[in-house]
Amino acid sequence: MSNRYFENSRNIVMQLPTAVEALSALAHSSRLAAFRLLVRAGADGVAAGDIAREIGALPNTLSTHLTILGSAGLITSQRKGRSVIYSADYDGMRDLLGFLVADCCGGQPAICGSLGDLASKADCRP
């Protein structure tokens, strides 16, 4: 287990500095737009140029945003030919969501509802 996580009595939980880094990475409109685009795209991911066009970012600015999201553990990248394909890191996203609800509702998680229910109510079309 890395020093970015700790184990409590119920499960492995993201440490506060790691959560702050991830939330900070998402606290910018272009980065949040890019992350949401990648979450919608699924495992196939999206080429950097397509992300830039979709969210209206300049390529060099987008590169910085993607680096920040990657450092925060929210996206991954891989080279395919001359393109770099970015994908959401669903494990990182789940870890962040888990951190946010780890102490949910004073030990009564039913009050918080199911995150799966929230996702199914959202417009999750690609």
Side-chain angles (χ1 to χ4, degrees), residues 12-99:
I12 296 173
V13 180
M14 181 180 275
Q15 290 206 25
L16 182 61
T18 304
V20 169
E21 181 181 5
L23 291 168
S24 295
L26 295 172
H28 185 283
S29 59
S30 293
R31 289 192 295 268
L32 182 57
F35 180 70
R36 293 186 76 207
L37 172 68
L38 294 173
V39 168
R40 283 191 307 273
D44 292 338
V46 180
D50 294 336
I51 298 170
R53 280 187 291 284
E54 182 71 26
I55 69 169
L58 297 172
N60 60 337
T61 304
L62 178 68
S63 177
T64 300
H65 291 316
L66 295 173
T67 298
I68 291 168
L69 288 167
S71 295
L74 295 170
I75 67 170
T76 61
S77 65
Q78 71 178 57
R79 183 164 289 286
K80 285 192 178 176
R82 294 182 357 173
S83 296
V84 177
I85 306 298
Y86 290 88
S87 301
D89 184 329
Y90 293 102
D91 288 335
M93 182 178 78
R94 275 190 292 277
D95 291 345
L96 178 59
L97 292 171
F99 172 84

Side-chain angles (χ1 to χ4, degrees), residues 95-114:
D95 291 345
L96 178 59
L97 292 171
F99 172 84
L100 293 172
V101 299
D103 300 316
C104 183
C105 308
Q108 298 176 24
I111 294 171
C112 296
S114 166

